[in-house]
Amino acid sequence: MTQDQNPTQLPLTIVDPYHNQFLFSDHYLDHLLPRDPRWDAARDEVAAFYIWLRGLYAREGDHLDYYSEDQLEEHWFKPIFECLGHVFETQARVPGLEKHIRKPDYVFFPTEAARQAAAAIQKTDEYARHALAVGEVKQWDVHLSKKQRGEGSSFDRQNPSFQIDYYLKITGLTWGVLSNGRVWRLVHRETSYRLDIYYEVDLLSLLEQDDPSASSGQVPAAIRYFYLFFRQAAFQPDAQGRIFLDDVLAGSAAYALALEEDLQANAYRALELLIQGFLDYAPNALTAEDLRAIYDNSLYLLYRLLFVLYGESRGLLPVDNPRYRSAYSLAKLKQDVAGLLDAGEFVGTHSDAVYARLKNLFRLIDGADLRFNAETGVPRYNGGLFDPQQHLFLKAMSVGDKAFTQAIDLLCRRKNAEGVKEFVDYRTLNVRHLGSIYEGLLEYQPRLATVPMVAVHNGNGERWMPEAEAPKGAKIAARRAEGEVYLETDKGERKATGSYYTPQYIVAYIVEQTLGPLVEKWRGENGAVCTDEDLVDAVLNLRVLDPAMGSGHFLVEATDYLARVLATDPHVEADDAEGAAESDLNHWRRRVVERCIYGVDKNPLAVELAKLS
C-alpha cells in the first residue's frame, strides 16, 4: 500500500501483514525480527488472540460501519485493548491541554495500581510519568491523514495524525496508538510531527483474507505483526529491562546505518567498475584520453541505477505490474545477475546484453514514447536524468557485461552479519542518503594505473601508491593491475571520510528559523488569525531559493515544513473532494513544490538528484 492510498479502500485481495511508513526497516521486520526469541515466545498467545478476535468480528462485523465513535469504542476498541492486555484511562485530564482541545481518548498504564495512582494526580505534570502510551481513536473508516469536515471544534476536526502528535508532546510519552477501527497505527514522538511516519496494520484485511494457514488451524503470520506490536507487553520493559518497540526501532536504525555505510563503499567500487566497463568494451573505442568524460557519464549511469532501485522499492515504478517486472524491471534483472554470479557462470567482457536490456528501461522512465509508458503502466519521469538527448555518451556507448553485472550486484546486494549476501532494502534508505553518496563521490578523481597499484592502510585511512613502493608488511586494502581504473582524492586517498552533507537536525533548525517567523506573521499578531485563504495565498506566494542546493536537502525540508503548516492549520481546508485518497500532507506538498520551491546548482547531476528528492 502506498502512502497515498486510502487505507479504508484497500482491495481485500491485497493482504500485507503490515504497512511500514518508514518508522521501522522493512528488512528488519521481515528478516531480523523473526530471529528475536520474542517472535516465537508469544505463539500460543497469538493463537488465542486470533481465535478471540475472529469471534468478536463475527459478532460485530456487520455493525462496525454504523456505530458512532462512542459505540465503536464500547463494542470494538475497548474489548480489543483489553484482550491485548492493556490497562487504560479514558478521557484523562492530562496537563497542558488548551481549553478548546478535548482530552485524549486513552492513556495506557502498566498496571491497575499505576492507573489508580495517576488518577489522583490528574492535571499535574506527574500524571503521565508512569504511563506507557497515549491513544486516539476515530469512527470507523475515518481517514487518519486528513482533516474532517463538519461541525465541532477546530481541533475535533483536525488531521488525526496531528492530534496524536499533539497528545504525545503534551504527555511526554514516547509511543502513540491511532486507529479508525480498521486501520491501527503506531507513531513515535520523535517523528510523529512529520505526520507521515508510522507503522500500520489493516486489521480488517487480515480478518477477511483467504489465508490457507487459517483454514488448517494455523495462525497467519500477519496476525503476529499486529499482536506483537500493539499488545501491552510491546510498550513496557520485560524481565531484562528491554522494551520491544524500542528494540525494533533501534534495530531498524542500526540496520539503516550499516546499509548506508555499505552502500557508500559499494557505490565507490561500482563506479570504478562502470568506468572500467566503458573502457574495456572494444566497440566504444575509448582511451585514457576519454577518462574524464567516462567518469562523468558513469556517475550519471550509477545514479540512474540508484534511482530505479529506490523508485521500485517505494512504488514510484510499478514493480508489481507483471509486464513491467518480467520484461523491464531492475528487480528482475538483479535476481538474474545474482543467479549468474552465484553459479559462477561465464559473463563476457565483449558483450553488452545487460546494458542493452537496461536501455529500454531508461527509455521507459524518460517517457518520450507515451504509448510505451501506457502499455506498461509506468509514469513519465522526464526530468533529464534519463533523457538520451542530454546524455548522448550513454546513448552511443555501452558497458561490457562482466563489469556491468558486478556493478549491479554491488548496488543490489550486501553481506549480512553472517557473511551471506542479501538484497539491499532500498525502502529503508531515505532519499537524503542518495545525496550523501553523491556528495561523497564528488571527492574522487578517476585514474588509470600505468603500473600495478595498491591501496595501503595508514593512520589516516587508505592511500594509493605503486605496489613496488609499498612498505614491507603494509596492510593492503585493494589492488589494481596495469590498465585498471581506480578512484582517489587529490591527496591520493582511496576512501576519504569527509562529507559535506548537512545533518538533518541542522537543516530542520535552519528551515524553521527562516520560515517560522514568516508563518507566525501571516497568522497574525496577538492571536488574531488570518483567514484560511489569506494563509494559503501567503504560503503559496512565497519563493524559496537555494542557490547551491546540492541534492536538495534544504528544499525538501522547506517543502515539508510549509506543507505541514497548511495541513495542520485549523482554519485551512484541503481543497480536494471529501474522502479522496490523497493525504492532506501530500496535497499541500504538491502545491508547495509547484509554486514555491526553486534551486540552482552548477553540477547538473545535483539538479537531477534534487528533482528526485
Side-chain angles (χ1 to χ4, degrees):
M1 183 176 72
T2 68
Q3 68 187 55
D4 287 340
Q5 284 180 303
N6 182 347
T8 65
Q9 299 298 321
L10 276 176
L12 294 179
T13 54
I14 301 176
V15 179
D16 294 319
Y18 60 82
H19 170 51
N20 173 46
Q21 184 66 15
F22 315 124
L23 180 58
F24 305 119
S25 158
D26 285 5
H27 178 86
Y28 185 90
L29 297 178
D30 291 338
H31 302 288
L32 301 181
L33 178 60
R35 304 177 189 176
D36 189 311
R38 290 170 290 189
W39 178 260
D40 281 325
R43 184 181 297 273
D44 291 343
E45 295 176 28
V46 174
F49 173 76
Y50 183 51
I51 293 170
W52 175 87
L53 184 63
R54 290 184 69 87
L56 177 67
Y57 183 64
R59 297 191 301 273
E60 298 290 349
D62 291 340
H63 315 303
L64 298 174
D65 198 32
Y66 303 101
Y67 282 149
S68 67
E69 186 174 314
D70 289 342
Q71 291 172 324
L72 193 66
E73 281 201 61
E74 194 64 31
H75 301 296
W76 187 250
F77 285 116
K78 288 181 180 178
I80 291 176
F81 281 135
E82 288 169 351
C83 193
L84 290 170
H86 284 288
V87 175
F88 49 80
E89 187 71 76
T90 60
Q91 302 297 310
R93 293 180 291 171
V94 299
L97 288 178
E98 299 171 49
K99 289 183 179 180
H100 67 286
I101 295 179
R102 71 174 189 174
K103 306 174 186 68
D105 289 325
Y106 294 89
V107 176
F108 301 101
F109 290 91
T111 63
E112 176 61 18
R115 184 198 68 77
Q116 291 180 7
I121 53 173
Q122 291 185 75
K123 289 190 175 182
T124 73
D125 292 338
E126 294 293 302
Y127 174 73
R129 185 159 61 93
H130 297 297
L132 300 176
V134 63
E136 179 70 7
V137 299
K138 299 298 175 187
Q139 196 166 340
W140 186 260
D141 269 3
V142 164
H143 201 301
L144 298 182
S145 297
K146 291 178 68 68
K147 291 178 182 174
Q148 310 306 310
R149 301 177 185 273
E151 302 298 328
S153 72
S154 58
F155 187 82
D156 289 345
R157 295 184 290 106
Q158 257 287 12
N159 185 325
S161 295
F162 172 80
Q163 292 175 331
I164 193 67
D165 171 64
Y166 179 89
Y167 291 136
L168 284 172
K169 287 183 173 61
I170 286 292
T171 61
L173 294 169
T174 301
W175 292 98
V177 177
L178 177 64
S179 179
N180 61 9
R182 171 173 183 159
V183 173
W184 293 65
R185 283 185 184 176
L186 279 174
V187 297
H188 189 268
R189 185 180 60 200
E190 290 184 4
T191 52
S192 57
Y193 77 96
R194 303 193 74 90
L195 306 184
D196 63 347
I197 296 180
Y198 51 81
Y199 170 91
E200 180 179 86
V201 174
D202 185 335
L203 189 58
L204 188 62
S205 71
L206 302 188
L207 290 169
E208 293 190 342
Q209 66 178 307
D210 183 18
D211 191 305
S213 63
S215 61
S216 63
Q218 299 178 13
V219 179
I223 292 294
R224 199 173 309 189
Y225 279 102
F226 177 81
Y227 181 79
L228 288 179
F229 281 77
F230 288 92
R231 65 173 176 163
Q232 187 197 53
F235 298 88
Q236 64 179 347
D238 60 15
Q240 289 74 43
R242 297 170 58 191
I243 298 175
F244 176 81
L245 290 179
D246 291 355
D247 286 353
V248 175
L249 191 65
S252 295
Y255 171 79
L257 180 61
L259 180 57
E260 183 182 358
E261 292 174 350
D262 286 351
L263 188 56
Q264 184 89 37
N266 286 358
Y268 170 95
R269 179 59 183 141
L271 183 59
E272 288 182 326
L273 286 166
L274 293 176
I275 297 169
Q276 193 74 54
F278 277 119
L279 269 174
D280 291 347
Y281 189 63
N284 290 339
L286 295 168
T287 69
E289 300 288 325
D290 304 301
L291 198 58
R292 186 69 216 185
I294 298 172
Y295 170 80
D296 290 342
N297 284 279
S298 295
L299 198 53
Y300 272 101
L301 178 56
L302 175 73
Y303 265 88
R304 283 186 177 185
L305 296 172
L306 290 174
F307 174 96
V308 175
L309 289 166
Y310 186 86
E312 289 184 347
S313 74
R314 296 207 170 196
L316 301 174
L317 295 167
V319 72
D320 291 332
N321 180 315
R323 181 181 179 88
Y324 170 80
R325 183 179 182 89
S326 62
Y328 306 106
S329 75
L330 193 48
K332 177 66 165 60
L333 178 59
K334 71 183 183 184
Q335 292 176 331
D336 295 344
V337 165
L340 284 172
L341 297 180
D342 289 349
E345 296 191 24
F346 174 78
V347 182
T349 302
H350 304 290
S351 60
D352 69 340
V354 177
Y355 190 71
R357 177 173 168 179
L358 277 175
K359 279 185 176 179
N360 271 328
L361 174 59
F362 297 160
R363 183 167 65 92
L364 184 60
I365 295 171
D366 179 57
D369 186 341
L370 297 180
R371 292 174 297 181
F372 190 22
N373 288 78
E375 71 180 16
T376 54
V378 177
R380 298 175 68 211
Y381 291 99
N382 56 334
L385 180 60
F386 293 87
D387 186 346
Q389 300 309 312
Q390 293 186 37
H391 305 285
L392 294 174
F393 181 100
L394 295 178
K395 180 181 179 182
M397 304 296 172
S398 284
V399 183
D401 284 337
K402 182 177 180 180
F404 205 17
T405 54
Q406 292 174 353
I408 288 173
D409 198 53
L410 277 167
L411 296 177
C412 295
R413 291 200 293 176
R414 64 186 289 268
K415 287 186 177 180
N416 61 23
E418 290 78 35
V420 178
K421 279 190 172 183
E422 62 187 16
F423 286 109
V424 171
D425 175 17
Y426 272 84
R427 196 171 186 274
T428 292
L429 291 171
N430 193 292
V431 71
R432 291 189 296 270
H433 294 154
L434 303 188
S436 179
I437 292 169
Y438 150 74
E439 293 183 6
L441 290 174
L442 289 182
E443 298 181 69
Y444 299 104
Q445 301 295 328
R447 311 288 189 221
L448 195 62
T450 56
V451 297
M453 299 289 293
V454 293
V456 178
H457 278 291
N458 59 31
N460 297 318
E462 299 168 1
R463 183 175 297 276
W464 285 106
M465 62 181 62
E467 185 174 14
E469 300 176 11
K472 186 176 181 181
K475 186 176 182 181
I476 306 300
R479 299 177 182 273
R480 297 291 180 268
E482 181 180 347
E484 289 187 338
V485 172
Y486 62 96
L487 297 175
E488 68 174 4
T489 67
D490 290 336
K491 295 181 180 180
E493 294 166 327
R494 175 173 179 253
K495 288 186 179 179
T497 57
S499 177
Y500 312 112
Y501 212 54
T502 310
Q504 168 63 21
Y505 72 92
I506 295 179
V507 172
Y509 176 82
I510 291 174
V511 168
E512 184 175 355
Q513 295 301 309
T514 304
L515 298 178
L518 291 174
V519 171
E520 293 308 310
K521 179 181 178 180
W522 295 330
R523 282 175 168 162
E525 298 179 358
N526 301 320
V529 181
C530 64
T531 66
D532 55 348
E533 293 87 357
D534 289 340
L535 180 60
V536 170
D537 289 344
V539 170
L540 296 184
N541 286 330
L542 182 66
R543 300 295 177 260
V544 178
L545 169 66
D546 187 342
M549 63 180 174
S551 53
H553 199 177
F554 280 93
L555 295 178
V556 169
E557 185 64 27
T559 299
D560 284 347
Y561 181 86
L562 294 175
R564 284 196 299 270
V565 166
L566 295 173
T568 61
D569 189 276
H571 300 279
V572 173
E573 297 282 357
D575 58 358
D576 57 344
E578 183 176 359
E582 186 178 44
S583 70
D584 287 349
L585 188 63
N586 279 345
H587 170 84
W588 291 117
R589 274 183 178 139
R590 282 194 301 103
R591 298 290 303 278
V592 168
V593 168
E594 290 166 355
R595 295 277 299 275
C596 308
I597 303 300
Y598 295 82
V600 179
D601 200 280
K602 67 179 182 180
N603 188 315
L605 181 54
V607 176
E608 296 305 324
L609 288 175
K611 289 178 180 178
L612 166 62
S613 297

